[in-house]
Amino acid sequence: MGLVGTVAVRDGGAALPGGFWAAVRVWLEKPQVANRRLCGAAIEAEGTVPLGEGGEASSPFDAVWGGGGREGRAAAAGAAELGRLWREVHDQLPAGHGHLPPPLTAWGGPGRRSELRAVLRTLLPRGRPVEPPAPPTKELAVEDVYNGTVTFLPLEENSEGKYQIKKCNIYQIQLTHVKDEEWSVSIVAPFPEDWFSDGIAYPKLAWLGNELLSKLAKWSVEQKPSEFKSTLSLISVAKYSKVYQDLKEKYKEMVKVWPEVTDPEKFVYEDVAIATYLLILWEEERKEKGFTKKQSFVDLGCGNGLLVHILNNEGHSGRGIDVRKRKIWDMYGPETHLEESTIMPGDSHLFPNADWLIGNHSDELTPWIPVIAARSSYSCCYFVLPCCFFDFHGKYSRRQSKKTQYREYLDFVAQVGFVCGFHVEEDCLRIPSTKRVCLIGKNRTYPPTECAVIDKQITQYINSRQTCAVVTCDRKVEFNHKDDSDVCKEAGSELPENETETTGTIWMPGFQPREKVERIRNCASLPRDFVDDVVLSVANLLLNATPQKSSSNMHGGITNTWNQGESLSLKEVAEHLNKETLQRLKSEYGGLQTLLKNNHQVFEVLNGRVHIRDWRKEKPSRKTKPEVKRRFSAEAFKTRLCWFFLHHPDGCSLPSESCPYAHGTGELRQSQIIKKKKHIQ
């Protein structure tokens, strides 16, 4: 028996042993959170198996393991297959073998359990496998609650289609109660000298003993239930992994030709991931509902249009609509259907021929998408990925202080879907974004004959939101998912009868769509002389504040003292600026703080406090620049004058040769980019 590693755990909150099994479940279902070379794991089957002689497996024990999502539900149906597999591999574990840890050896005595819990999983590698493709890695995890152990048995399929245990890579995770609040979590391997690491599904033993073990110990005592569903809980993770890699390979060239100012790495692969999710979701919907034709769609607020481009290329007819055309639209070709148009929620913007409406970070349209879907046709479904917080009439106002703002807003958008008569499902996407929870409405809660009733209910609900927003409601209406219909009736009951009907073309006259021309509101459009005056005023304020701070530095044995001034809060700085200046800054996104951060040569803004920047304390960038860029920056280095050299009473804290800015006009060098442009012209 080889001890791979052990870590002491102190449990002051009575989290153990339950927390240990929750941590094991994370490693079973979501191994990618620890092993970044994995995309995930597909749970093929789970249930109980006999400890002694082989036998049939029974259904899973949800009380210990928890729910399990789509794959967990499918696993219950595989109990018979699990029993067959257990009989197949059980005889390969000789009883009494000194190297094999319990529960792999037989035991007896009072209190010993005769059943174990088993989970069969397939590990899914991240990225495209090297040629030739490696067979999927299957593991049988055998768990014994009584003894606090879970043993992982790697499986290999032989030429006859039967599974054999790859004994060299067996490992076991153990929980041991030392005394009182002291526990330990350990990992052991019966044959450490034969361990084979493939660098993907099976890292080195040192990784198991350090990285994995520390994470398991941490998860075991963390009692932070997530507010959100597990990632990709509504679709097959195995299928997602394959389709995502195919699409990523197919559209990776988009990163190289991306003409927008946004980050191509983030936006291209994010839209590839969203497209992957929708393609699998729609494929499974076709199987469920017996459709033969691929679903059509309309993407409302499509932005760069890449999601539309991918879905069109993959055989789904549809279009994207956005208030502003993007540069990249012209690169897609005529097969990608994109329209520049303003969407006003109303009778003139319904889509009766669309199977699905998509709202991918659709901002002010987000709460309207379930409404538009409900009123477009009885068969219209929707997918929304909320980002910025908007209500029907404008910015969303918080009502629940006990929830995070994000969780509260998701609940609101889900509530809209319930009111519109949808069974709303929630899932968490695997995208590089902090806002990655999507809401899906693909089935209705009412028969087609009740469309008029639901439509009236929707109008009442929208009016109630608008009424509360303008403070004409005497009370706040709180919504609960459990009794949606009663809540909707209550919300609309206080309104006059004539206000509960949909009148005119526009459903909410006060709705403000996105402006066609995007305003630059990051202080970049402010006149240079105005910015210079504010910078000088704030700098003098910090330099003249008492008591003054001095920063010393040694140069050739002589101590030079340089006045760094005081630090003040943003509020204190604002109090010293005149009203006209503050009003002008207020109209710019970010205001005073953004202006100061933009002038990073002079200021440093940390935790809401403003400091004079001391360039002697700046650490050189660790990013390695390509050789071409290094040569280029050496030739075109000082293109701006040093503010401190011009305005600071002690001058610049750095000597001329060390300062990244010019000490006088004689050191200025014209940008090579400007020269190149002039040459081209």
Side-chain angles (χ1 to χ4, degrees):
M1 178 72 64
L3 179 64
V4 177
T6 185
V7 61
V9 178
R10 189 168 184 83
D11 177 27
L16 297 172
F20 170 76
W21 296 115
V24 167
R25 194 65 187 183
V26 172
W27 176 235
L28 277 169
E29 291 185 342
K30 298 184 284 186
Q32 73 277 5
V33 299
N35 184 355
R36 294 297 181 184
R37 296 190 176 185
L38 293 176
C39 176
I43 304 298
E44 308 291 349
E46 60 181 300
T48 55
V49 294
L51 174 63
E53 296 298 323
E56 296 296 330
S58 64
S59 60
F61 275 48
D62 289 339
V64 175
W65 283 120
R70 182 184 182 279
E71 269 117 354
R73 294 193 296 272
E81 179 65 18
L82 188 64
R84 183 195 66 78
L85 177 63
W86 178 246
R87 290 194 304 273
E88 202 170 282
V89 302
H90 183 268
D91 294 338
Q92 300 174 32
L93 301 170
H97 195 297
H99 290 287
L100 296 179
L104 304 181
T105 54
W107 57 65
R112 298 299 189 186
R113 297 197 48 150
S114 59
E115 284 184 331
L116 303 171
R117 191 155 293 106
V119 178
L120 177 65
R121 69 171 181 171
T122 300
L123 297 172
L124 308 171
R126 186 185 296 276
R128 189 172 296 279
V130 225
E131 300 268 341
T137 304
K138 288 188 180 292
E139 277 187 338
L140 186 64
V142 185
E143 172 262 322
D144 173 39
V145 176
Y146 184 86
N147 288 286
T149 65
V150 55
T151 308
F152 291 83
L153 307 174
L155 301 176
E156 289 181 310
E157 192 173 6
N158 60 22
S159 56
E160 299 175 358
K162 293 186 176 182
Y163 283 103
Q164 293 180 322
I165 296 175
K166 189 177 180 179
K167 295 182 182 179
C168 63
N169 277 30
I170 295 174
Y171 69 97
Q172 184 180 85
I173 305 171
Q174 303 173 344
L175 175 70
T176 305
H177 186 204
V178 182
K179 62 175 181 178
D180 301 328
E181 298 178 353
E182 296 178 16
W183 299 70
S184 71
V185 179
S186 307
I187 294 181
V188 297
F191 309 105
E193 66 280 356
D194 298 327
W195 182 270
F196 170 75
S197 173
D198 61 3
I200 303 174
Y202 293 101
K204 295 180 180 179
L205 280 176
W207 184 90
L208 291 177
N210 295 319
E211 299 295 326
L212 177 59
L213 191 57
S214 63
K215 283 182 168 61
L216 288 169
K218 180 184 175 185
W219 298 338
S220 294
V221 291
E222 275 187 348
Q223 298 191 53
K224 295 179 182 177
S226 175
E227 295 180 300
F228 311 109
K229 287 282 189 77
S230 297
T231 307
L232 308 180
S233 61
L234 299 180
I235 64 172
S236 164
V237 179
K239 191 177 292 184
Y240 175 90
S241 176
K242 182 182 183 306
V243 175
Y244 176 76
Q245 293 305 327
D246 290 341
L247 293 183
K248 186 178 179 182
E249 183 72 18
K250 190 173 181 179
Y251 296 100
K252 66 180 181 181
E253 295 300 317
M254 294 297 302
V255 175
K256 300 177 183 177
V257 297
W258 193 255
E260 306 294 331
V261 295
T262 50
D263 179 11
E265 290 280 348
K266 178 186 187 300
F267 283 88
V268 171
Y269 295 132
E270 181 170 319
D271 283 353
V272 166
I274 296 170
T276 301
Y277 188 91
L278 287 171
L279 290 172
I280 296 173
L281 185 74
W282 291 347
E283 181 186 347
E284 293 182 356
E285 185 195 31
R286 292 196 297 274
K287 292 178 181 177
E288 290 171 9
K289 298 180 179 180
F291 296 160
T292 54
K293 186 180 178 182
K294 288 188 175 182
Q295 295 89 333
S296 60
F297 69 92
V298 178
D299 187 348
L300 303 178
C302 63
N304 59 54
L306 180 57
L307 180 60
V308 177
H309 176 64
I310 296 173
L311 295 176
N312 283 165
N313 279 358
E314 300 305 314
H316 289 270
S317 61
R319 56 190 168 124
I321 306 174
D322 200 281
V323 70
R324 288 191 304 276
K325 180 179 178 179
R326 306 302 200 271
K327 296 176 185 176
I328 198 171
W329 286 15
D330 294 328
M331 298 176 59
Y332 294 136
E335 296 80 12
T336 300
H337 304 286
L338 299 169
E339 299 175 15
E340 185 180 22
S341 177
T342 300
I343 300 170
M344 294 291 292
D347 297 342
S348 59
H349 281 93
L350 295 176
F351 307 95
N353 297 322
D355 296 318
W356 281 77
L357 298 186
I358 298 172
N360 174 18
H361 293 181
S362 46
D363 295 346
E364 68 276 359
L365 287 174
T366 297
W368 286 104
I369 287 175
V371 179
I372 298 172
R375 288 175 168 172
S376 289
S377 71
Y378 182 76
S379 60
C380 187
C381 309
Y382 73 88
F383 167 95
V384 289
L385 183 60
C387 180
C388 300
F389 306 145
F390 283 89
D391 208 322
F392 293 111
H393 48 77
K395 288 288 187 180
Y396 177 81
S397 298
R398 296 198 64 180
R399 300 184 180 190
Q400 292 281 342
S401 59
K402 294 181 180 179
K403 300 178 183 178
T404 63
Q405 186 178 17
Y406 185 40
R407 180 68 264 174
E408 182 185 343
Y409 185 68
L410 289 171
D411 290 345
F412 160 63
V413 179
Q415 180 68 42
V416 176
F418 290 128
V419 171
C420 292
F422 287 96
H423 285 294
V424 181
E425 297 179 277
E426 181 179 302
D427 206 352
C428 194
L429 304 185
R430 194 171 287 175
I431 58 176
S433 173
T434 55
K435 305 292 193 302
R436 52 197 190 97
V437 176
C438 67
L439 298 167
I440 299 165
K442 64 176 182 177
N443 294 302
R444 304 295 176 102
T445 60
Y446 62 95
T449 53
E450 294 182 11
C451 283
V453 176
I454 295 298
D455 190 69
K456 185 175 180 179
Q457 177 175 288
I458 293 170
T459 304
Q460 292 173 343
Y461 180 71
I462 293 172
N463 286 340
S464 75
R465 300 290 302 185
Q466 187 179 28
T467 306
C468 292
V470 296
V471 203
T472 55
C473 266
D474 294 330
R475 60 181 177 82
K476 286 187 177 180
V477 182
E478 294 186 2
F479 300 96
N480 189 314
H481 292 183
K482 295 180 181 177
D483 53 343
D484 304 311
S485 57
D486 293 338
V487 168
C488 298
K489 292 173 185 175
E490 182 183 3
S493 62
E494 298 182 358
L495 298 170
E497 183 64 29
N498 61 351
E499 290 189 27
T500 62
E501 300 296 330
T502 304
T503 57
T505 305
I506 305 301
W507 299 332
M508 180 170 284
F511 174 78
Q512 290 294 324
R514 183 71 57 87
E515 295 177 2
K516 187 173 180 63
V517 179
E518 189 174 13
R519 290 181 59 196
I520 299 173
R521 301 184 64 204
N522 60 356
C523 296
S525 60
L526 289 171
R528 188 69 246 176
D529 56 348
F530 173 79
V531 174
D532 290 342
D533 288 343
V534 175
V535 169
L536 191 58
S537 299
V538 175
N540 286 332
L541 178 65
L542 298 176
L543 290 170
N544 296 327
T546 55
Q548 290 186 352
K549 285 195 304 184
S550 293
S551 178
S552 299
N553 199 16
M554 292 290 292
H555 289 289
I558 302 173
T559 303
N560 294 326
T561 302
W562 187 78
N563 179 17
Q564 193 181 355
E566 269 297 302
S567 72
L568 295 175
S569 67
L570 286 164
K571 182 181 179 183
E572 291 170 325
V573 172
E575 288 171 351
H576 286 81
L577 299 177
N578 60 55
K579 291 183 179 179
E580 292 77 12
T581 298
L582 290 175
Q583 188 62 37
R584 198 167 183 179
L585 289 171
K586 192 175 182 180
S587 66
E588 296 287 327
Y589 180 77
L592 175 63
Q593 179 172 231
T594 299
L595 185 143
L596 297 177
K597 285 186 173 181
N598 287 351
N599 288 272
H600 66 277
Q601 181 193 164
V602 186
F603 302 110
E604 189 175 23
V605 183
L606 294 172
N607 301 320
R609 296 191 70 81
V610 186
H611 309 256
I612 294 285
R613 187 179 293 276
D614 187 348
W615 280 89
R616 293 172 300 181
K617 298 177 181 178
E618 294 297 311
K619 296 179 180 178
S621 174
R622 294 183 180 180
K623 292 183 180 178
T624 304
K625 295 182 179 179
E627 187 63 31
V628 176
K629 289 189 177 181
R630 284 203 296 271
R631 291 199 305 269
F632 175 80
S633 62
E635 295 170 0
F637 192 45
K638 298 187 178 184
T639 59
R640 294 181 61 188
L641 288 168
C642 175
W643 185 93
F644 295 104
F645 177 80
L646 297 175
H647 301 289
H648 195 283
D650 298 332
C652 182
S653 62
L654 293 175
S656 173
E657 60 271 15
S658 303
C659 182
Y661 301 95
H663 286 196
T665 55
E667 294 185 9
L668 283 173
R669 295 181 186 176
Q670 190 177 24
S671 170
Q672 298 296 312
I673 296 174
I674 297 173
K675 287 181 180 178
K676 187 176 181 181
K677 285 183 178 177
K678 286 182 178 178
H679 179 70
I680 292 171
Q681 292 172 351

